[in-house]
Amino acid sequence: MAEIQATEPDESGIFEKIAQELVEHGYCVLPHALPKDMTLQLQSLIAQLPEENFHKAGVGRNGDLKNDMSIRRDQISWINNETEAGASWLDWTNQLMAYLNRRLFLGLSSFESHFAHYGKGDFYKKHLDAFKGSANRTLSLVTYLNKDWQPIDGGELIIYHPETDKQLTKVLPEFGTLVIFLSEEFPHEVLPAKKERLSIAGWFRINSSQSGYV
C-alpha cells in the first residue's frame, strides 16, 4: 500500500474537478483525464507482465474470499513501486489522496490497486466495493488502458443509483478515462467485453483502527 505524502498543488485542475464532482454527486467520470505519458507507461507495463503474475480475482473478503465465475471473470495483478510505471502511478495517486484530504477532510491514509485483465466475454456483475460500516474502503478508482475502444466492443462500467437502482452512467473503457466514486454508496458492474479489456482498479482507504471499524 502507498502511504500518504506531502505534495504540491494540482496545476492541471483535474484534482479540483474530482473534488467538486464528489461533493456534488458522489462520483465523477473524467474522459482521458490521466496524464498520457503515465497511461502509456502503464499500458506498456501490463503488456509485458508474464501470465503467471495474474490470478483469478475472488469475491468476498478475508476468510470468505472465493472464486465465483458466475459473478466475476477477470484476472488481476497487484501494482507496486518496483517499476518506473508503478512508481509513477502510486506517486500520482498519493498526490490525489493528499489533495482530497486537504480539500474534503476525508482522512484517507493509504491506497492499493491492481491491473485487471478481462478476456473476451468476461464480466463483473453488480456489486458494492464496501458494505457500510464493515470495511475501510472509502473511494474507488478505475482507469482504462485501452486504445481505440469502440461502443461495439462492450465492457462498459455501469454505475447505479444507491437507492433506486437506476442507471446513473455507462462508461466506455477508453484510454486514460478516470472514474472515482464513494465505495460504500454506488453499486456498479462491468458488462461483458467483446475483446481484451485492460484497466486499473484501486481503493483509497482510511485507517480502520481510527474509524471504529473492526
Side-chain angles (χ1 to χ4, degrees):
M1 292 187 186
E3 297 302 322
I4 190 168
Q5 299 176 355
T7 183
E8 295 297 321
D10 171 50
E11 295 180 353
S12 68
I14 294 295
F15 291 176
E16 177 57 25
K17 179 65 174 175
I18 292 170
Q20 291 175 1
E21 292 290 311
L22 288 175
V23 169
E24 293 179 15
H25 307 293
Y27 71 95
C28 66
V29 179
L30 301 177
H32 316 296
L34 210 63
K36 186 176 180 179
D37 288 348
M38 184 172 64
T39 313
L40 287 169
Q41 280 187 318
L42 290 165
Q43 183 191 50
S44 177
L45 175 59
I46 191 174
Q48 295 173 18
L49 288 176
E51 186 175 341
E52 56 265 28
N53 280 40
F54 288 85
H55 62 273
K56 283 290 183 184
V59 295
R61 301 200 65 187
N62 301 326
D64 295 326
L65 187 67
K66 61 181 180 179
N67 290 324
D68 190 335
M69 297 290 285
S70 69
I71 297 176
R72 68 183 299 184
R73 294 188 179 180
D74 56 315
Q75 294 187 320
I76 65 172
S77 178
W78 291 95
I79 302 175
N80 56 43
N81 61 3
E82 295 177 0
T83 64
E84 182 179 353
S88 295
W89 165 247
L90 295 176
D91 179 66
W92 190 86
T93 54
N94 268 344
Q95 292 180 42
L96 173 57
M97 180 165 59
Y99 187 92
L100 293 176
N101 279 340
R102 291 197 307 272
R103 179 72 166 75
L104 304 180
F105 307 102
L106 293 177
L108 306 174
S109 61
S110 62
F111 177 76
E112 61 181 357
S113 63
H114 60 63
F115 289 118
H117 174 273
Y118 288 75
K120 184 177 180 180
D122 289 347
F123 57 84
Y124 192 168
K125 289 190 174 180
K126 187 167 63 174
H127 64 283
L128 280 169
D129 283 349
F131 293 102
K132 291 186 178 181
S134 64
N136 59 357
R137 288 177 175 177
T138 300
L139 288 179
S140 298
L141 178 154
V142 184
T143 192
Y144 302 104
L145 307 175
N146 309 295
K147 283 188 173 180
D148 304 318
W149 197 272
Q150 302 298 320
I152 195 174
D153 298 324
E156 297 97 336
L157 171 71
I158 298 180
I159 298 178
Y160 294 94
H161 190 284
E163 298 175 357
T164 67
D165 215 29
K166 178 183 177 182
Q167 180 179 311
L168 293 174
T169 187
K170 181 187 285 187
V171 184
L172 200 65
E174 295 180 293
F175 188 78
T177 291
L178 187 67
V179 184
I180 298 179
F181 55 90
L182 296 171
S183 302
E184 293 184 348
E185 297 294 329
F186 293 95
H188 52 285
E189 71 172 316
V190 177
L191 299 182
K194 302 288 183 61
K195 64 180 184 180
E196 181 183 59
R197 177 189 187 275
L198 305 175
S199 63
I200 294 175
W203 300 272
F204 293 99
R205 293 177 172 269
I206 59 175
N207 188 324
S208 60
S209 64
Q210 296 176 358
S211 68
Y213 297 150
V214 294

